[in-house]
Amino acid sequence: MASDQENSQDANAPDDTSEKEITRGITIMKSIIRDRDKAVTYNVHWNADNQLIGSNAAKLASYIGTLVRMHIPITATRWSNKELGSAKDKIWTEILRSFNIEDTTIRKKYILQLAGKRHRGRRMGCFCSPKKRRKFQESECHKSRESVKSHVCIQKRLDETKSDATSLPPHVLWKEARVGKDGTVRDDVQHIYDECETLSQSISTAEDQENRSVLSRALNVPEYPGRVRGKGHGCTPTSLYKNPRRRNPSNQEVMETLQALQAQVLQLQKDNERYRCMEKCSSQLKETSEKASINCQNKFPEDISSCQLYLSSPTYRLVGKGKVHNTSGDLLHHRPLPDGHLKVSVDVVLDKDALLPIPDIVSETTLLRDAIGSFVAWPLDLIFIDDEVFAQGSQQLGQKIDMATAGAIRLLDMEEDIFGYSCTETIGKEDLEHIFRHQELGIGVIHTYIRFLYDNFMRGNDQLSNRFRFVSSSLVNKALICREPDSCREYLVKRFMASSTNNLYLWPYNSGCHWLLLAIDPLKEVVYFLNSIDGEWTNYPDMKQLVDTSIKVFRSQRQARVPRTKSSNITWIKVQCPLQRNGIDCGYFVMRFMREIINMNQIEIPITYFDEYKCAHYTRLQLEQIKEELCQYFIEKRLISI
């Protein structure tokens, strides 16, 4: 009877066809909560591929799973659902409270992707069949053990080879993660590794990236998008190969590219026409100047002379003014001058769309307005000495202006306290002509007026001299910002470091054919923008980037601490200053701005400008005051006699 009863019970019992499931208790991580209440946080580390490593990596991964169970409903089928946005933010906030992680986009993306994996594993454990769930758990456990072992072996390999993780190919990391405890490598692992080594000799890096890696080929498995086999979680093809993801351009982008190409074609046609004209002029000049020296031309006086610059295409016209340097053996940017050309420094641009006869290869400058304050090569037959111009139409002015010497150039010494270095400013007849005829002003006139302000207002006045300083337009201008941005930044930082108290640095900036004034307070990180044509500072991106970078470098060198919200924001203030009503008064406005700022003796400039000088436009009488001060200073320094 007992035997029949046992058989009956065995017959009614269900068949145990499944193996014992792998079970795991719920992770609560109470220790992290207790440490958080005690204001204790954990440090985590990242490798060169921005992957989580270190002793606290496993603790963080487990804590992420706990937070996922707390904030993400198990019924959520898609991790990318926008409704989970607030819950994801809560997870990220809780992690930042307990772990020292940078609050950056790349770190947040990595953590939330890891949380997504934990959520998928949680759903697999609840909704799939026992057999599938068991395979998934075994796979995840194997991956976890493999990942921990991989990091230990890889770090040991890196310490031995004194290299970083980016220098090791994925198949090398894959092999290191499968080395036994005794240091031996299984035959099947060694076989795959040897095949990867063979494939790596015949497959280029580009082919490896675009198709499948050598590890995927050797294993004969598909490569899933968005990951790199053998590198672990968080490493993607984009981060590994440093190439952006390719996408098809939009119709608007195609049209913009087409328009840019058409503009390049038109520019090439203009350049071709200009070069052919230059070759023709050069061939004619070469025939008539075989007896001349290599650079020094007999038709021009030797040394430095004021000149006017012309172009012959598409029409013959005056485009600028400057100084011609007629010196034997002279070089342009460490290179010999082309035949039939002389070195010219550009002071004033009269045609803002004028092209350079020979583009500057060093700075990639093609427009004349971008070459103010720098040297360019100019054809001989398109350079006219100011003495010739005076003889043609300025005899009356020439009778009034008698230079102290027979030459057309006078020199004015600039002390070190003015610009932070000692230099000599050249003043020519054309500079005086610009003032008397009320024309556009060059750097020489602006710097001379700065010397006037220093001598008449700041010299001997410690309060003003310790409060206001100047920036040289010769060392920081549009051409140099494009060609030598590092030297411009170094000069600005050096000027800022020259004082330990609040100073206002006055910088007349020429954008190519227009003067404006920047008043910079580097300690408060405030930039006052005074533009007499009512433009925005965003119209001058190169200038703004230079100022912002210089202030940040100055901040770093003086080891200043600023709030995180302000660390990348430098205050730019557009001052509602008087506006000009023509196209030539900008230089006079800048000089009067500097005079009024120093007269007010205030570091902070009101947004609506100073009440004592507030007006919509400067009158002719107000500008004549600036011109009279300049002329009197010229006479005082014996630059001219009238």
Short mmCIF file of all heavy atoms in Angstrom, two decimals, residues 180-228:
data_model
loop_
_atom_site.label_atom_id
_atom_site.label_comp_id
_atom_site.label_asym_id
_atom_site.label_seq_id
_atom_site.Cartn_x
_atom_site.Cartn_y
_atom_site.Cartn_z
N GLY A 180 43.87 33.26 -17.76
CA GLY A 180 43.58 32.50 -16.56
C GLY A 180 44.30 33.04 -15.34
O GLY A 180 45.19 33.90 -15.43
N LYS A 181 43.91 32.53 -14.17
CA LYS A 181 44.54 32.98 -12.92
C LYS A 181 46.02 32.66 -12.90
O LYS A 181 46.81 33.38 -12.28
CB LYS A 181 43.85 32.33 -11.72
CG LYS A 181 42.41 32.77 -11.52
CD LYS A 181 41.81 32.14 -10.28
CE LYS A 181 40.38 32.60 -10.06
NZ LYS A 181 39.77 31.98 -8.85
N ASP A 182 46.40 31.56 -13.56
CA ASP A 182 47.81 31.20 -13.59
C ASP A 182 48.57 31.89 -14.71
O ASP A 182 49.76 31.62 -14.94
CB ASP A 182 47.96 29.68 -13.75
CG ASP A 182 47.20 29.16 -14.98
OD1 ASP A 182 46.49 29.98 -15.62
OD2 ASP A 182 47.33 27.98 -15.29
N GLY A 183 47.91 32.79 -15.44
CA GLY A 183 48.58 33.54 -16.49
C GLY A 183 48.57 32.87 -17.85
O GLY A 183 49.14 33.40 -18.80
N THR A 184 47.91 31.70 -17.98
CA THR A 184 47.88 30.99 -19.25
C THR A 184 46.70 31.45 -20.09
O THR A 184 45.70 31.96 -19.57
CB THR A 184 47.77 29.47 -19.02
OG1 THR A 184 46.56 29.20 -18.27
CG2 THR A 184 48.98 28.98 -18.23
N VAL A 185 46.81 31.28 -21.38
CA VAL A 185 45.76 31.66 -22.32
C VAL A 185 45.24 30.40 -23.00
O VAL A 185 46.04 29.56 -23.48
CB VAL A 185 46.31 32.65 -23.39
CG1 VAL A 185 45.20 33.08 -24.33
CG2 VAL A 185 46.93 33.86 -22.72
N ARG A 186 43.90 30.27 -23.03
CA ARG A 186 43.31 29.09 -23.66
C ARG A 186 43.63 29.07 -25.15
O ARG A 186 43.85 30.12 -25.77
CB ARG A 186 41.80 29.07 -23.46
CG ARG A 186 41.37 29.02 -22.00
CD ARG A 186 39.92 28.55 -21.89
NE ARG A 186 39.05 29.25 -22.82
CZ ARG A 186 38.36 30.36 -22.51
NH1 ARG A 186 38.49 30.88 -21.28
NH2 ARG A 186 37.59 30.94 -23.40
N ASP A 187 43.61 27.87 -25.72
CA ASP A 187 43.95 27.73 -27.14
C ASP A 187 42.96 28.46 -28.03
O ASP A 187 43.36 29.09 -29.03
CB ASP A 187 44.02 26.24 -27.51
CG ASP A 187 45.17 25.53 -26.82
OD1 ASP A 187 46.12 26.24 -26.40
OD2 ASP A 187 45.11 24.29 -26.70
N ASP A 188 41.64 28.38 -27.71
CA ASP A 188 40.65 29.04 -28.56
C ASP A 188 40.80 30.57 -28.50
O ASP A 188 40.61 31.27 -29.50
CB ASP A 188 39.23 28.63 -28.15
CG ASP A 188 38.97 28.91 -26.67
OD1 ASP A 188 39.95 29.06 -25.92
OD2 ASP A 188 37.78 28.97 -26.28
N VAL A 189 41.14 31.11 -27.32
CA VAL A 189 41.36 32.56 -27.19
C VAL A 189 42.61 32.97 -27.97
O VAL A 189 42.61 33.98 -28.69
CB VAL A 189 41.49 32.96 -25.71
CG1 VAL A 189 41.87 34.43 -25.57
CG2 VAL A 189 40.18 32.67 -24.98
N GLN A 190 43.69 32.19 -27.85
CA GLN A 190 44.92 32.51 -28.56
C GLN A 190 44.71 32.43 -30.07
O GLN A 190 45.28 33.23 -30.83
CB GLN A 190 46.04 31.55 -28.12
CG GLN A 190 47.40 31.89 -28.69
CD GLN A 190 47.92 33.23 -28.21
OE1 GLN A 190 47.78 33.57 -27.05
NE2 GLN A 190 48.51 34.00 -29.12
N HIS A 191 43.88 31.50 -30.50
CA HIS A 191 43.60 31.35 -31.93
C HIS A 191 42.89 32.60 -32.47
O HIS A 191 43.26 33.12 -33.54
CB HIS A 191 42.74 30.10 -32.16
CG HIS A 191 42.27 29.97 -33.58
ND1 HIS A 191 43.12 29.64 -34.63
CD2 HIS A 191 41.02 30.14 -34.13
CE1 HIS A 191 42.43 29.61 -35.75
NE2 HIS A 191 41.16 29.91 -35.48
N ILE A 192 41.90 33.08 -31.73
CA ILE A 192 41.19 34.29 -32.15
C ILE A 192 42.14 35.48 -32.16
O ILE A 192 42.13 36.32 -33.08
CB ILE A 192 39.98 34.57 -31.23
CG1 ILE A 192 38.95 33.43 -31.34
CG2 ILE A 192 39.34 35.90 -31.57
CD1 ILE A 192 38.33 33.29 -32.71
N TYR A 193 42.99 35.60 -31.14
CA TYR A 193 43.93 36.71 -31.05
C TYR A 193 44.91 36.70 -32.23
O TYR A 193 45.19 37.74 -32.84
CB TYR A 193 44.68 36.64 -29.73
CG TYR A 193 45.76 37.68 -29.59
CD1 TYR A 193 45.45 38.99 -29.25
CD2 TYR A 193 47.10 37.35 -29.81
CE1 TYR A 193 46.43 39.96 -29.13
CE2 TYR A 193 48.10 38.31 -29.70
CZ TYR A 193 47.76 39.61 -29.35
OH TYR A 193 48.73 40.56 -29.24
N ASP A 194 45.43 35.50 -32.57
CA ASP A 194 46.36 35.40 -33.69
C ASP A 194 45.69 35.80 -35.00
O ASP A 194 46.29 36.45 -35.86
CB ASP A 194 46.92 33.98 -33.79
CG ASP A 194 47.78 33.63 -32.59
OD1 ASP A 194 48.26 34.56 -31.90
OD2 ASP A 194 47.95 32.42 -32.31
N GLU A 195 44.42 35.41 -35.15
CA GLU A 195 43.70 35.77 -36.37
C GLU A 195 43.48 37.28 -36.44
O GLU A 195 43.55 37.88 -37.51
CB GLU A 195 42.37 35.03 -36.43
CG GLU A 195 41.63 35.22 -37.74
CD GLU A 195 40.39 34.35 -37.84
OE1 GLU A 195 40.20 33.50 -36.95
OE2 GLU A 195 39.61 34.55 -38.79
N CYS A 196 43.21 37.91 -35.28
CA CYS A 196 43.06 39.37 -35.24
C CYS A 196 44.36 40.07 -35.63
O CYS A 196 44.35 41.08 -36.35
CB CYS A 196 42.62 39.83 -33.85
SG CYS A 196 40.93 39.38 -33.41
N GLU A 197 45.49 39.53 -35.16
CA GLU A 197 46.77 40.12 -35.51
C GLU A 197 47.01 40.04 -37.01
O GLU A 197 47.53 40.98 -37.63
CB GLU A 197 47.89 39.41 -34.75
CG GLU A 197 47.96 39.75 -33.27
CD GLU A 197 48.44 41.16 -33.05
OE1 GLU A 197 49.47 41.55 -33.62
OE2 GLU A 197 47.75 41.90 -32.31
N THR A 198 46.61 38.92 -37.60
CA THR A 198 46.78 38.76 -39.05
C THR A 198 45.88 39.73 -39.81
O THR A 198 46.30 40.37 -40.79
CB THR A 198 46.47 37.32 -39.46
OG1 THR A 198 47.32 36.42 -38.71
CG2 THR A 198 46.71 37.12 -40.95
N LEU A 199 44.61 39.84 -39.38
CA LEU A 199 43.68 40.73 -40.06
C LEU A 199 44.09 42.20 -39.92
O LEU A 199 43.88 43.00 -40.84
CB LEU A 199 42.27 40.53 -39.51
CG LEU A 199 41.56 39.23 -39.88
CD1 LEU A 199 40.24 39.11 -39.12
CD2 LEU A 199 41.30 39.18 -41.39
N SER A 200 44.65 42.57 -38.77
CA SER A 200 45.01 43.97 -38.54
C SER A 200 46.10 44.44 -39.49
O SER A 200 46.25 45.64 -39.71
CB SER A 200 45.46 44.17 -37.09
OG SER A 200 46.61 43.40 -36.82
N GLN A 201 46.88 43.50 -40.05
CA GLN A 201 47.93 43.88 -40.99
C GLN A 201 47.38 44.20 -42.37
O GLN A 201 48.03 44.90 -43.15
CB GLN A 201 48.96 42.74 -41.10
CG GLN A 201 49.61 42.34 -39.80
CD GLN A 201 50.41 43.47 -39.19
OE1 GLN A 201 50.99 44.27 -39.91
NE2 GLN A 201 50.44 43.54 -37.86
N SER A 202 46.18 43.67 -42.67
CA SER A 202 45.62 43.85 -44.02
C SER A 202 44.42 44.77 -44.07
O SER A 202 43.99 45.15 -45.15
CB SER A 202 45.21 42.47 -44.59
OG SER A 202 44.25 41.85 -43.74
N ILE A 203 43.86 45.17 -42.91
CA ILE A 203 42.67 46.02 -42.88
C ILE A 203 43.08 47.37 -42.32
O ILE A 203 43.68 47.45 -41.25
CB ILE A 203 41.55 45.39 -42.01
CG1 ILE A 203 41.12 44.06 -42.61
CG2 ILE A 203 40.36 46.33 -41.90
CD1 ILE A 203 40.06 43.35 -41.79
N SER A 204 42.74 48.44 -43.01
CA SER A 204 43.07 49.79 -42.57
C SER A 204 42.13 50.22 -41.44
O SER A 204 41.08 49.63 -41.22
CB SER A 204 42.98 50.78 -43.73
OG SER A 204 41.65 50.83 -44.21
N THR A 205 42.51 51.28 -40.76
CA THR A 205 41.69 51.81 -39.67
C THR A 205 40.36 52.32 -40.18
O THR A 205 39.31 52.15 -39.55
CB THR A 205 42.43 52.95 -38.96
OG1 THR A 205 43.69 52.46 -38.50
CG2 THR A 205 41.63 53.47 -37.77
N ALA A 206 40.36 52.97 -41.36
CA ALA A 206 39.11 53.49 -41.93
C ALA A 206 38.16 52.35 -42.26
O ALA A 206 36.96 52.42 -41.99
CB ALA A 206 39.41 54.30 -43.18
N GLU A 207 38.70 51.26 -42.83
CA GLU A 207 37.85 50.11 -43.15
C GLU A 207 37.35 49.45 -41.88
O GLU A 207 36.22 48.99 -41.79
CB GLU A 207 38.64 49.12 -44.00
CG GLU A 207 37.81 47.94 -44.48
CD GLU A 207 38.62 46.97 -45.31
OE1 GLU A 207 39.82 47.25 -45.54
OE2 GLU A 207 38.07 45.94 -45.73
N ASP A 208 38.21 49.42 -40.85
CA ASP A 208 37.82 48.86 -39.56
C ASP A 208 36.65 49.64 -38.98
O ASP A 208 35.69 49.06 -38.45
CB ASP A 208 39.02 48.92 -38.62
CG ASP A 208 38.73 48.28 -37.27
OD1 ASP A 208 37.63 47.72 -37.12
OD2 ASP A 208 39.60 48.34 -36.39
N GLN A 209 36.68 50.96 -39.12
CA GLN A 209 35.62 51.78 -38.55
C GLN A 209 34.33 51.67 -39.36
O GLN A 209 33.24 51.59 -38.81
CB GLN A 209 36.08 53.24 -38.50
CG GLN A 209 35.00 54.19 -38.01
CD GLN A 209 35.43 55.62 -38.14
OE1 GLN A 209 36.54 55.90 -38.56
NE2 GLN A 209 34.54 56.52 -37.81
N GLU A 210 34.44 51.72 -40.70
CA GLU A 210 33.25 51.79 -41.53
C GLU A 210 32.51 50.46 -41.58
O GLU A 210 31.30 50.42 -41.72
CB GLU A 210 33.65 52.22 -42.96
CG GLU A 210 34.22 53.62 -43.05
CD GLU A 210 33.20 54.65 -42.65
OE1 GLU A 210 32.00 54.38 -42.78
OE2 GLU A 210 33.60 55.74 -42.20
N ASN A 211 33.22 49.34 -41.47
CA ASN A 211 32.55 48.05 -41.62
C ASN A 211 32.51 47.32 -40.28
O ASN A 211 31.74 47.66 -39.41
CB ASN A 211 33.28 47.23 -42.69
CG ASN A 211 32.46 46.06 -43.18
OD1 ASN A 211 31.45 45.73 -42.59
ND2 ASN A 211 32.90 45.45 -44.26
N ARG A 212 33.34 46.34 -40.10
CA ARG A 212 33.42 45.59 -38.85
C ARG A 212 34.85 45.58 -38.37
O ARG A 212 35.79 45.52 -39.15
CB ARG A 212 32.93 44.15 -39.06
CG ARG A 212 31.44 44.01 -39.25
CD ARG A 212 31.03 42.55 -39.11
NE ARG A 212 31.71 41.68 -40.07
CZ ARG A 212 31.76 40.36 -39.97
NH1 ARG A 212 31.19 39.76 -38.94
NH2 ARG A 212 32.38 39.65 -40.87
N SER A 213 35.03 45.56 -37.04
CA SER A 213 36.37 45.53 -36.49
C SER A 213 36.99 44.16 -36.72
O SER A 213 36.31 43.17 -37.03
CB SER A 213 36.33 45.84 -35.00
OG SER A 213 35.62 44.83 -34.31
N VAL A 214 38.31 44.10 -36.54
CA VAL A 214 39.01 42.83 -36.75
C VAL A 214 38.55 41.80 -35.73
O VAL A 214 38.52 40.59 -36.02
CB VAL A 214 40.54 43.04 -36.66
CG1 VAL A 214 41.02 43.90 -37.81
CG2 VAL A 214 40.92 43.67 -35.33
N LEU A 215 38.17 42.23 -34.53
CA LEU A 215 37.69 41.29 -33.51
C LEU A 215 36.37 40.67 -33.93
O LEU A 215 36.16 39.46 -33.77
CB LEU A 215 37.55 42.00 -32.17
CG LEU A 215 37.07 41.15 -30.99
CD1 LEU A 215 38.01 39.98 -30.76
CD2 LEU A 215 36.96 41.99 -29.72
N SER A 216 35.45 41.47 -34.47
CA SER A 216 34.17 40.92 -34.94
C SER A 216 34.37 39.97 -36.12
O SER A 216 33.68 38.95 -36.24
CB SER A 216 33.24 42.07 -35.35
OG SER A 216 32.98 42.91 -34.26
N ARG A 217 35.31 40.29 -36.99
CA ARG A 217 35.59 39.40 -38.13
C ARG A 217 36.16 38.07 -37.66
O ARG A 217 35.78 37.01 -38.16
CB ARG A 217 36.58 40.08 -39.08
CG ARG A 217 36.05 41.34 -39.74
CD ARG A 217 37.17 42.09 -40.44
NE ARG A 217 36.73 43.35 -40.99
CZ ARG A 217 36.32 43.54 -42.24
NH1 ARG A 217 36.28 42.51 -43.07
NH2 ARG A 217 35.93 44.72 -42.66
N ALA A 218 37.10 38.13 -36.68
CA ALA A 218 37.70 36.89 -36.21
C ALA A 218 36.69 36.03 -35.46
O ALA A 218 36.70 34.79 -35.58
CB ALA A 218 38.89 37.21 -35.31
N LEU A 219 35.80 36.64 -34.70
CA LEU A 219 34.77 35.89 -33.97
C LEU A 219 33.62 35.47 -34.87
O LEU A 219 32.78 34.66 -34.46
CB LEU A 219 34.24 36.74 -32.81
CG LEU A 219 35.22 37.03 -31.67
CD1 LEU A 219 34.60 38.02 -30.70
CD2 LEU A 219 35.59 35.75 -30.95
N ASN A 220 33.53 36.11 -36.07
CA ASN A 220 32.46 35.82 -37.02
C ASN A 220 31.09 36.12 -36.40
O ASN A 220 30.17 35.31 -36.46
CB ASN A 220 32.53 34.37 -37.52
CG ASN A 220 31.66 34.15 -38.75
OD1 ASN A 220 31.35 35.11 -39.48
ND2 ASN A 220 31.25 32.91 -38.98
N VAL A 221 30.99 37.30 -35.79
CA VAL A 221 29.74 37.73 -35.18
C VAL A 221 29.42 39.12 -35.72
O VAL A 221 30.32 39.86 -36.13
CB VAL A 221 29.84 37.77 -33.63
CG1 VAL A 221 29.98 36.38 -33.07
CG2 VAL A 221 31.00 38.65 -33.18
N PRO A 222 28.14 39.51 -35.73
CA PRO A 222 27.79 40.85 -36.24
C PRO A 222 28.25 41.95 -35.28
O PRO A 222 28.36 41.73 -34.07
CB PRO A 222 26.26 40.80 -36.35
CG PRO A 222 25.84 39.77 -35.35
CD PRO A 222 26.93 38.73 -35.35
N GLU A 223 28.50 43.13 -35.82
CA GLU A 223 28.87 44.29 -35.02
C GLU A 223 27.65 45.17 -34.85
O GLU A 223 27.07 45.63 -35.83
CB GLU A 223 29.99 45.08 -35.72
CG GLU A 223 30.58 46.19 -34.87
CD GLU A 223 31.34 45.66 -33.68
OE1 GLU A 223 30.70 45.45 -32.63
OE2 GLU A 223 32.55 45.43 -33.80
N TYR A 224 27.23 45.38 -33.62
CA TYR A 224 26.04 46.17 -33.35
C TYR A 224 26.38 47.66 -33.39
O TYR A 224 27.45 48.08 -32.93
CB TYR A 224 25.46 45.80 -31.99
CG TYR A 224 24.98 44.38 -31.92
CD1 TYR A 224 25.77 43.40 -31.34
CD2 TYR A 224 23.75 44.01 -32.47
CE1 TYR A 224 25.35 42.08 -31.29
CE2 TYR A 224 23.32 42.70 -32.41
CZ TYR A 224 24.12 41.74 -31.82
OH TYR A 224 23.70 40.44 -31.78
N PRO A 225 25.50 48.49 -33.93
CA PRO A 225 25.79 49.93 -34.00
C PRO A 225 25.82 50.55 -32.60
O PRO A 225 25.10 50.14 -31.70
CB PRO A 225 24.62 50.49 -34.83
CG PRO A 225 23.50 49.50 -34.64
CD PRO A 225 24.17 48.16 -34.49
N GLY A 226 26.66 51.57 -32.45
CA GLY A 226 26.72 52.30 -31.19
C GLY A 226 27.64 51.71 -30.15
O GLY A 226 27.67 52.17 -29.01
N ARG A 227 28.43 50.68 -30.50
CA ARG A 227 29.35 50.11 -29.53
C ARG A 227 30.60 49.59 -30.25
O ARG A 227 30.59 49.40 -31.47
CB ARG A 227 28.71 48.99 -28.74
CG ARG A 227 28.70 47.66 -29.48
CD ARG A 227 28.28 46.52 -28.59
NE ARG A 227 28.55 45.22 -29.19
CZ ARG A 227 28.18 44.07 -28.65
NH1 ARG A 227 27.49 44.06 -27.52
NH2 ARG A 227 28.47 42.93 -29.24
N VAL A 228 31.66 49.37 -29.49
CA VAL A 228 32.90 48.80 -30.02
C VAL A 228 33.18 47.52 -29.25
O VAL A 228 33.38 47.55 -28.03
CB VAL A 228 34.07 49.79 -29.88
CG1 VAL A 228 35.35 49.17 -30.40
CG2 VAL A 228 33.78 51.08 -30.62
#
